[in-house]
Amino acid sequence: MAIVTAPVLLGAIVVAAIVLFVRCLQSPIASLPGTRLSLFSSLPLKYHEFRGNRTNYVHSQHLKYGSAVRLAPNEAAFTSLEAMKEIYMSGGSGYDKTEFYYLFKQYNTNKRKRILADRYANTNVHKEDAIAGIKQRSRSFVNKVAQLPDKQMDVYIYLHCYAFDSVTHHLFHPYGSNSINDVTHENIMREVSFDSSLPRRLMDHYNPRLIPFADMLGLLPPSRSSPSAKQLVTDAVNQDSPAEFTLLARMQDPKMGLERIQMAAECMDHMVAGIETTGDVLCWLMWQISQPECQPIQEKMYTELRESFDTPYDQLPYLNAVLKEGLRMFPSIPMSLPRYVPQGGRDIDGAWLPEGTIVSCQPYTMHRFDQDVFPKPDTFDPQRWLDMEAEVEMNRHFFAFASGGRGCVGKHLAMAEMRLLLRDVYSQYQTVLADGMTADMSMADQAISSRPRDQTCILKFIPRGVSA
Ligand code: HEM
């Protein structure tokens, strides 16, 4: 038996390292700019992911290296319109999603897409009994404010309750939640929204074998667990005769051939996707316009609402501009939406990348990078959406709901929820930051989605007609 001596072993390691080094230098991704380390390792990227800071890190790489950037030996990010179209829209649905998606588990994409399409269409969202439920939830939110003796509210909590009640209404009315008024349901919302298992989920994605060791050292938070949310969904799915506009009604159609367990899994994914996204955008937006320098924005919105009392809620230009600006600056899914380069490789922005390379654009950067399209990108300025010429180009870059066949299915529902709530709140109240409101509202990435870091935002509501 050959004896492997230390010098032989060392020599083998050196040779292997040299081969790896040369391979990395010669790989097609080496033609893209990026940190030197990113040629050989994904560690810097992973470090920022584990710290909930991936979006900012990727954005900083774009600012430093340009619109196409290498992030890791097998991963690149882009910000040009051409790259966005190629990755997300070529062939209709763009490239395949990577396994990074915990949020939307899929049992059969094509089948599911057929089932869903009409339930989330704007016409279905606006059916009388569908929209009536959202309007009722929006009124409940405003009534909740009215009941508070000091008119101070943690809007992070109640906007998530609003999003929860609205999405469950659309998924399985009349078995939806009432978390704005019912503390049992509020606790279900908390179970879903306050999950802090990001490092564990990332470890599970990248290297599940390390989990037992990390657990022994107490390095990881507990697993994601949402038993009450699952129970709510299971109970709803086991009911008969949901309202005709709901997703559940569509799924229960025997022609669909779906098991109850499949319906529950799908409803659960949609429920989670519909709570944090809508709740977070509204929270960041209301926090932003409650700043002293944004009070004129509220005044303008109030004037529009007062003068256009009979105008349908989705035809209020200024309110719409405020919402679009909120989605631009605070997209609740701000980070890269990763996809695999398909078989045969592809040319993206002049760089040829082999099959299997992970490529992405991120909404946060798409909404900021090109300053000809978004001048002063870090300034909250709804007015920019009222310039019709500029609006065309901004809409082409608007990526809050992604683009193409795998973009957000719930966007019409989300837009209806957000417009209704803003209309109902700002036609009756002015909001300001509550005294002592110092919570950290910076982005904390949660794998794909993101949320305000401290998960609290206390605002004071001043009834219109009463001075601040
Ligand atoms: C402001 C609110 C929302 C934002 C910003 C948002 C954003 C997004 C984005 C960016 C994606 C695409 C992810 C990707 O392509 O990688 C997505 C997918 C999705 N969204 Fe939303 N979303 C919102 C609200 C909702 C609501 C209310 C629902 C209701 C059910 C929903 C359900 C979904 C589902 C099911 C997918 C996965 C689609 C697929 O895999 O084909 N979203 N969302």
Side-chain angles (χ1 to χ4, degrees):
M1 197 174 86
I3 297 170
V4 182
T5 59
V8 170
L9 190 63
L10 192 66
I13 292 172
V14 170
V15 170
I18 291 172
V19 170
L20 196 70
F21 184 74
V22 173
R23 264 202 203 150
C24 287
L25 287 180
Q26 288 177 341
S27 79
I29 207 167
S31 66
L32 289 176
T35 60
R36 272 203 203 103
L37 193 54
S38 70
L39 252 184
F40 310 105
S41 168
S42 59
L43 276 179
L45 187 62
K46 289 196 177 116
Y47 168 78
H48 288 285
E49 279 173 4
F50 274 84
R51 300 200 61 204
N53 191 39
R54 179 182 156 115
T55 308
N56 278 322
Y57 174 69
V58 173
H59 189 65
S60 72
Q61 296 301 288
H62 280 300
L63 293 181
K64 192 162 177 192
Y65 295 105
S67 76
V69 63
R70 182 185 62 243
L71 298 173
N74 190 34
E75 181 157 359
F78 299 85
T79 64
S80 75
L81 203 54
E82 293 66 33
M84 189 256 267
K85 285 185 185 158
E86 170 63 27
I87 297 169
Y88 298 94
M89 296 162 86
S90 55
S93 296
Y95 304 173
D96 283 345
K97 290 186 176 185
T98 71
E99 295 81 12
F100 203 71
Y101 286 81
Y102 308 102
L103 196 52
F104 313 117
K105 297 204 176 63
Q106 301 151 31
Y107 57 87
N108 183 329
T109 303
N110 291 332
K111 193 173 190 179
R112 194 195 60 176
K113 276 278 167 191
R114 281 203 307 276
I115 295 166
L116 299 186
D118 73 324
R119 297 295 100 163
Y120 286 107
N122 210 18
T123 42
N124 193 53
V125 168
H126 282 94
K127 281 197 175 136
E128 208 178 322
D129 42 353
I131 202 73
I134 313 294
K135 287 181 177 169
Q136 187 232 312
R137 265 82 180 176
S138 177
R139 280 196 303 272
S140 292
F141 181 93
V142 176
N143 289 342
K144 190 85 190 172
V145 172
Q147 285 159 18
L148 298 168
D150 58 355
K151 302 281 178 292
Q152 291 204 161
M153 179 191 256
D154 185 346
V155 293
Y156 181 83
I157 299 298
Y158 287 104
L159 289 171
H160 283 69
C161 287
Y162 171 66
F164 176 35
D165 295 350
S166 298
V167 74
T168 53
H169 167 75
H170 199 77
L171 291 175
F172 33 69
H173 178 67
Y175 312 112
S177 59
N178 179 23
S179 61
I180 293 179
N181 298 308
D182 178 340
V183 76
T184 318
H185 285 174
E186 182 190 320
N187 286 335
I188 301 179
M189 179 285 293
R190 286 175 184 268
E191 192 181 82
V192 175
S193 303
F194 283 81
D195 168 72
S196 59
S197 62
L198 176 70
R200 177 176 292 274
R201 287 184 287 139
L202 286 170
M203 181 83 87
D204 194 30
H205 173 64
Y206 288 122
N207 204 334
R209 274 171 303 184
L210 289 182
I211 288 186
F213 301 105
D215 274 342
M216 253 187 310
L217 297 171
L219 292 177
L220 293 177
S223 304
R224 187 171 207 156
S225 165
S226 34
S228 327
K230 281 187 187 141
Q231 194 58 53
L232 179 102
V233 171
T234 311
D235 289 348
V237 164
N238 284 329
Q239 302 278 354
D240 290 323
S241 318
E244 194 253 319
F245 68 84
T246 61
L247 185 80
L248 184 58
R250 189 91 176 100
M251 288 176 148
Q252 284 187 351
D253 184 337
K255 279 187 274 183
M256 298 299 155
L258 292 177
E259 308 281 334
R260 297 266 173 183
I261 186 87
Q262 291 174 309
M263 298 180 206
E266 195 69 18
C267 283
M268 185 73 187
D269 286 348
H270 288 221
M271 191 176 90
V272 173
I275 299 175
E276 300 203 57
T277 46
T278 316
D280 287 340
V281 171
L282 281 172
C283 183
W284 267 311
L285 175 54
M286 286 178 64
W287 166 76
Q288 174 68 48
I289 61 179
S290 300
Q291 311 287 330
E293 70 276 14
C294 287
Q295 292 303 321
I297 293 173
Q298 285 195 41
E299 287 312 309
K300 219 168 161 182
M301 204 160 48
Y302 178 57
T303 305
E304 179 182 76
L305 289 167
R306 222 183 27 200
E307 289 174 357
S308 322
F309 191 69
D310 292 329
T311 307
Y313 78 98
D314 52 353
Q315 288 168 34
L316 296 160
Y318 194 68
L319 183 140
N320 199 46
V322 172
L323 178 54
K324 281 295 270 290
E325 186 66 348
L327 284 159
R328 181 189 76 80
M329 275 193 78
F330 311 109
S332 43
I333 300 197
M335 64 194 280
S336 345
L337 307 172
R339 302 290 197 262
Y340 282 127
V341 171
Q343 209 175 17
R346 288 291 185 280
D347 197 308
I348 306 175
D349 266 1
W352 186 86
L353 295 172
E355 145 185 6
T357 309
I358 298 169
V359 289
S360 61
C361 298
Q362 63 175 14
Y364 186 84
T365 305
M366 288 298 299
H367 295 170
R368 283 173 165 81
F369 188 77
D370 188 340
Q371 297 197 18
D372 290 337
V373 181
F374 298 109
K376 296 196 185 150
D378 294 322
T379 303
F380 185 86
D381 178 16
Q383 203 63 32
R384 70 173 86 231
W385 293 95
L386 298 173
D387 173 338
M388 275 162 69
E389 222 173 280
E391 192 198 4
V392 174
E393 203 48 32
M394 288 192 296
N395 278 335
R396 279 152 54 90
H397 286 75
F398 187 71
F399 199 50
F401 295 106
S403 300
R406 300 301 307 278
C408 181
V409 284
K411 76 172 171 196
H412 297 301
L413 175 62
M415 288 301 279
E417 288 175 31
M418 295 187 289
R419 284 177 173 138
L420 279 169
L421 188 116
L422 292 174
R423 181 198 67 173
D424 290 352
V425 168
Y426 288 99
S427 56
Q428 297 175 59
Y429 290 98
Q430 176 191 0
T431 58
V432 294
L433 300 184
D435 286 343
M437 160 54 200
T438 52
D440 184 352
M441 294 291 290
S442 64
M443 277 187 299
D445 289 342
Q446 298 298 310
I448 307 291
S449 69
S450 189
R451 66 192 184 199
R453 203 163 289 274
D454 278 352
Q455 296 192 270
T456 178
C457 177
I458 319 279
L459 299 186
K460 187 168 175 64
F461 290 71
I462 301 162
R464 282 291 170 180
V466 176
S467 54

